[in-house]
Amino acid sequence: MGKTFESIDNHVDVSSAYIPVRPEARGCSDSIPELDVDDMTDVDRNVRTIDPAVVVYNHRYRIEDVDFHDEYPLVHVRHGASVGRGERTVTTETIGHAVAAALAPGERWARRYREVFSDDVRVAVVGIPEADDLVATDAPREKRVLYAPTNHNYGGGSYLHTAKAILDTFADTEYELLFRPHPMDRTEEPGRSLTQACKKRISALPNVIFDENPTPNASMLVADLLISDYSGIIAEWLHTGRPLIQLTDIPVEDTAVPEIGYVTSVADFDISSVDDLYERGYSESVAEREAACRADLGIPMDGRAGERAAAEVIACRQ
């Protein structure tokens, strides 16, 4: 999630730093100084010791266990923008009591914030800072496809049901496949075992690369198409204007993938669909649907989200 902070910090003209709140958060940024704390789990004490003018969260981690926000303004900026999975509801129900300002990625999120949060919480639509450099970029036209579904355990994504079939589809084709499991599916079961099996197979597939980029941004910049489901990466990908393939094979009952791009089950997916999207783009009906979804999401895609978010953070200083 450091990608969000870095995209905002580029536009902040005052001193800034980040506090790691668990071991995995150490060393997460090359551009923002990390504060050395005695006990990274003692978030309240660390914040009060540092005595900042404003604190920024881009997650919900331990929000129910801290109370520093009673003394310091807390700004919440969502890392990305989920297009499904109920994240809007979970986020609003957990952070509303703590935040002074909620920076929404788009109008869809802002509408929910305004419905739930008290009137003294400032709600501002800023966009998705980490997607700024995807705006107005040219497609590489290298027949490169990025496969990046959301995680299984927490997102109920399609990874377990589609990973092997995707490798089957692209094996020995003229396309280059960037295979990018969610970070949680690389470290937690049952995704971990599947990831290891896929990595072993990929080692024998010359046209498939196991994507090790720290964040998906660099991968999206070089991809012509994205294959996903209802992962938050979709909202970032929309900034590129390139075709999206959504797989519907999710394990969550009574939940459907919001139809934005070209929608298919993995059983109906074949390389001819990729050929058609690569050569001709969306059909008219899919293009109209995607445009309607963009309008509903209301995400400003002008490359200035980081600038707007930084201005809102600075405005909340004590």
Side-chain angles (χ1 to χ4, degrees):
M1 298 179 186
K3 60 185 181 179
T4 311
F5 288 138
E6 291 177 350
S7 302
I8 296 172
D9 195 60
N10 290 335
H11 304 281
V12 171
D13 58 1
V14 296
S15 297
S16 60
Y18 76 90
I19 307 173
V21 294
R22 53 183 172 180
E24 295 86 350
R26 287 204 181 278
C28 73
S29 177
D30 294 327
S31 62
I32 305 176
E34 176 182 333
L35 295 179
D36 186 20
V37 295
D38 294 331
D39 181 1
M40 66 181 65
T41 65
D42 195 345
V43 178
D44 277 329
R45 180 171 62 82
N46 290 329
V47 170
R48 291 184 170 101
T49 298
I50 295 160
D51 192 30
V54 62
V55 181
V56 183
Y57 259 37
N58 67 348
H59 51 76
R60 295 178 281 105
Y61 182 68
R62 293 188 60 193
I63 191 71
E64 70 281 359
D65 297 331
V66 299
D67 61 14
F68 69 82
H69 47 77
D70 292 337
E71 302 170 40
Y72 299 92
L74 176 60
V75 177
H76 184 268
V77 55
R78 185 79 170 56
H79 62 284
S82 172
V83 296
R85 303 187 295 126
E87 271 294 311
R88 286 188 306 157
T89 299
V90 174
T91 299
T92 51
E93 289 178 351
T94 53
I95 70 169
H97 70 286
V99 296
L103 309 187
E107 285 293 344
R108 178 172 177 268
W109 281 78
R111 288 194 297 270
R112 179 61 60 85
Y113 288 167
R114 295 183 186 114
E115 291 170 358
V116 176
F117 294 159
S118 61
D119 292 340
D120 60 349
V121 174
R122 177 178 175 82
V123 176
V125 175
V126 297
I128 304 177
E130 56 265 40
D132 279 349
D133 59 359
L134 297 174
V135 175
T137 55
D138 294 327
R141 303 302 297 172
E142 296 286 347
K143 290 197 169 183
R144 188 176 296 115
V145 179
L146 172 62
Y147 168 68
T150 199
N151 68 86
H152 175 77
N153 285 348
Y154 308 104
S158 63
Y159 182 56
L160 295 188
H161 298 281
T162 63
K164 291 181 179 179
I166 289 297
L167 290 180
D168 289 341
T169 299
F170 283 92
D172 303 318
T173 68
E174 58 186 357
Y175 291 93
E176 179 180 88
L177 178 68
L178 302 180
F179 187 91
R180 187 180 180 84
H182 189 278
M184 303 309 297
D185 283 325
R186 306 182 193 205
T187 59
E188 293 185 358
E189 296 294 356
R192 182 173 177 271
S193 294
L194 176 59
T195 298
Q196 291 175 339
C198 288
K199 286 185 76 172
K200 183 176 181 180
R201 184 178 178 196
I202 287 169
S203 66
L205 296 175
N207 67 316
V208 182
I209 297 171
F210 189 86
D211 189 359
E212 301 278 11
N213 281 323
T215 71
N217 188 276
S219 305
M220 286 188 281
L221 282 170
V222 300
D224 293 295
L225 296 96
L226 171 67
I227 301 175
S228 190
D229 36 43
Y230 52 9
S231 169
I233 196 175
I234 288 174
E236 297 175 50
W237 179 258
L238 290 174
H239 290 68
T240 69
R242 304 170 200 167
L244 163 68
I245 299 170
Q246 290 179 275
L247 301 174
T248 59
D249 308 85
I250 57 174
V252 186
E253 294 184 5
D254 302 321
T255 301
V257 171
E259 296 187 356
I260 299 174
Y262 175 83
V263 181
T264 181
S265 69
V266 73
D268 295 329
F269 180 64
D270 57 33
I271 206 67
S272 66
S273 303
V274 180
D275 290 337
D276 195 55
L277 287 165
Y278 181 79
E279 296 296 340
R280 286 173 284 280
Y282 289 142
S283 67
E284 183 177 350
S285 61
V286 173
E288 290 175 353
R289 183 175 67 211
E290 193 219 49
C293 291
R294 283 174 177 264
D296 179 62
L297 291 171
I299 301 171
M301 300 182 187
D302 57 1
R304 299 181 59 192
E307 180 182 334
R308 282 188 293 271
E312 294 291 342
V313 170
I314 296 300
C316 285
R317 290 182 299 172
Q318 288 180 330

